[in-house]
Amino acid sequence: MIRIHQAVIPILLVLLSGEFCVARAEEGDSIENNGKQTPTTAMETVKVANDLKGFVMHPSGKKFIPWGHNYASADILERLSKDPERVKREFAEMKAAGTNVARIHPELPRLLQGPGDVDQQGIDGIKQLLDIAQQSGIHLKITGLANYQIKDRPEWYDKLSEADRWKTQAFFWESIARACASSPAVFAYDLVNEPGAAGKPEEGWYMGRMGDVEFCQRLSLTPGDRNGDAIYREWTPLMVASIRRHDPTRLITMGMLPFPGAYKAASEYLDFVSPHLYPKSGKVDEEIALLKKFDWGKPIVIGETFPLTCSQDDERDFLLKSREYSQGWIGHWPDHSPKELDALKKAGTATIEDQIWLSWVELFEEIGTAMTSHE
């Protein structure tokens, strides 16, 4: 079986089974780079445009079109602690390919030691990522509450009642926002990846297992007479308010499975909508029709896409056609560098998986100008 990048596993499960997992930079700032202080380029923050049809840089007002990748989806803080030079190198490689946004997934177990107890080492890692991103000229879409790796899940967290779990999740976001508020490198806070509103106690908090990871989680195991809309209308503003206590201006969204009806209530509290869409071979128009259903009068950024179940040509067709409805796109960055993948291809030793990854990077570079310069 082809090894699929962990960030796309939950979508693959959905596609195969149909199961629904229900501050401004000051001139002269610098960061440490290989023991030397290197001046950073002044970075602007990002806001929703006044017409609600896209994004602009602040304060210049220049149009901003998110174009990037999910990066190190299940181990970003672990990777950073073990090999910070690799992370710096890969951000530079992403930037060279035309990336301006990276979606990262810092794990909750590395950021909280208990209810109301932050892990300062994890927060320092977030700040280090912000510095690396700013130095590279890439904005971050920070996905929250990641508890993907089953082996790392804290027992104390999953034993909490719904009320205490939500309180802890709000504290998580307060801690992140407090650490990030002064950095212009934040594009958006992504409240949670592909949530389901409710489940039964015997089902547990998590969904979409493949191997040692699960990327989806439920918000409630005791919904009572609340439907999904009611749960999202309770949970989403609580998370938003937690962020706004420390960062009143940065954008907020949520990673959404391809089920627009499930998330419309949550979108009422978000600055933009972020569905995850993977076109199928020969069915690009159907995926465009699905994308249109996420048009709720707010900008759309496709938070995950990739030629997972289609050809490079179909993915290209989907991306180009989606420009009419979406204002940003985020794919997936490979664990091997594009140069390594290209060398394997030339040597005739690239696996099918290697070839898929290389085809994505080549497509990303090929159509980058068309995607980020359209009117």
Side-chain angles (χ1 to χ4, degrees):
M1 181 176 180
I2 298 173
R3 175 181 172 273
I4 301 295
H5 192 285
Q6 288 177 321
V8 298
I9 288 173
I11 296 298
L12 177 59
L13 288 173
V14 171
L15 294 173
L16 293 178
S17 69
E19 179 182 356
F20 172 38
C21 306
V22 212
R24 186 177 304 164
E26 301 292 341
E27 294 295 339
D29 284 354
S30 63
I31 70 170
E32 187 173 341
N33 185 10
N34 294 325
K36 298 180 180 179
Q37 292 294 317
T38 305
T40 61
T41 302
M43 178 181 265
E44 295 185 278
T45 55
V46 182
K47 292 188 174 184
V48 172
N50 290 335
D51 62 5
L52 303 182
K53 295 181 179 180
F55 306 94
V56 295
M57 306 298 295
H58 177 76
S60 70
K62 182 179 178 181
K63 189 172 184 177
F64 179 77
I65 300 176
W67 180 239
H69 306 276
N70 285 265
Y71 173 72
S73 59
D75 67 350
I76 179 62
L77 292 177
E78 182 179 0
R79 180 179 300 188
L80 180 68
S81 66
K82 290 180 177 179
D83 193 353
E85 293 308 313
R86 173 186 176 181
V87 176
K88 293 176 184 179
R89 181 179 68 251
E90 289 175 334
F91 265 80
E93 290 171 345
M94 285 193 289
K95 184 63 177 179
T99 302
N100 60 24
V101 167
R103 183 179 181 229
I104 61 169
H105 307 245
E107 304 89 339
L108 181 145
R110 288 181 172 269
L111 290 162
L112 298 183
Q113 296 179 331
D117 185 7
V118 70
D119 187 323
Q120 189 58 47
Q121 184 176 355
I123 293 297
D124 290 343
I126 294 293
K127 293 178 179 179
Q128 188 177 359
L129 285 169
L130 290 167
D131 285 345
I132 292 171
Q134 184 174 349
Q135 179 70 11
S136 66
I138 292 176
H139 286 83
L140 296 181
K141 187 170 187 266
I142 303 173
T143 298
L145 309 179
N147 219 1
Y148 304 153
Q149 299 188 82
I150 296 170
K151 65 178 178 61
D152 292 337
R153 286 181 185 152
E155 186 176 358
W156 64 262
Y157 178 63
D158 289 340
K159 285 185 175 181
L160 295 175
S161 67
E162 175 186 299
D164 287 339
R165 189 176 174 94
W166 287 17
K167 183 178 179 180
T168 298
Q169 291 169 343
F171 177 74
F172 171 97
W173 273 118
E174 281 197 59
S175 303
I176 293 290
R178 185 185 295 111
C180 296
S182 63
S183 172
V186 177
F187 165 53
Y189 300 110
D190 191 358
L191 293 181
V192 63
N193 183 65
E194 303 174 345
K200 300 176 182 178
E202 59 268 26
E203 293 173 323
W205 292 109
Y206 305 100
M207 306 169 289
R209 180 169 182 171
M210 181 173 282
D212 297 327
V213 294
E214 288 175 298
F215 285 86
C216 308
Q217 58 183 294
R218 301 177 177 93
L219 301 183
S220 175
L221 298 182
T222 54
D225 59 0
R226 296 171 298 172
N227 63 15
D229 286 356
I231 291 171
Y232 280 120
R233 288 192 174 109
E234 288 181 35
W235 184 87
T236 312
L238 177 62
M239 300 303 121
V240 170
S242 299
I243 292 171
R244 291 293 180 233
R245 289 189 185 98
H246 302 284
D247 193 339
T249 62
R250 227 56 58 86
L251 305 181
I252 300 175
T253 190
M254 176 189 291
M256 301 175 178
L257 285 163
F259 303 98
Y263 297 108
K264 188 172 182 180
S267 75
E268 297 168 7
Y269 308 93
L270 306 176
D271 294 302
F272 66 93
V273 181
S274 193
H276 299 171
L277 301 174
Y278 294 76
K280 301 179 182 68
S281 294
K283 296 184 178 181
V284 169
D285 289 341
E286 286 89 335
E287 205 70 14
I288 295 297
L290 177 59
L291 169 61
K292 291 167 63 176
K293 293 180 180 180
F294 286 92
D295 185 358
W296 298 320
K298 296 183 178 183
I300 298 173
V301 174
I302 298 175
E304 290 184 18
T305 191
F306 191 79
L308 177 62
T309 56
C310 70
S311 67
Q312 185 191 64
D313 288 341
D314 279 336
E315 182 71 24
R316 178 190 295 105
D317 191 28
F318 169 69
L319 289 170
L320 293 174
K321 286 181 176 178
S322 71
R323 292 179 299 172
E324 184 175 351
Y325 309 103
S326 181
Q327 291 77 45
W329 303 264
I330 302 176
H332 297 277
W333 190 253
D335 284 337
H336 298 293
S337 74
K339 287 184 179 180
E340 290 173 333
L341 293 172
D342 188 54
L344 291 172
K345 179 181 178 181
K346 290 177 178 177
T349 58
T351 64
I352 295 175
E353 181 187 358
D354 292 335
Q355 294 175 47
I356 292 172
W357 280 113
L358 184 59
S359 74
W360 164 251
V361 175
E362 291 173 343
L363 175 61
F364 184 85
E365 294 179 329
E366 172 197 333
I367 66 172
T369 299
M371 299 300 294
T372 57
S373 63
H374 73 280
E375 295 299 328

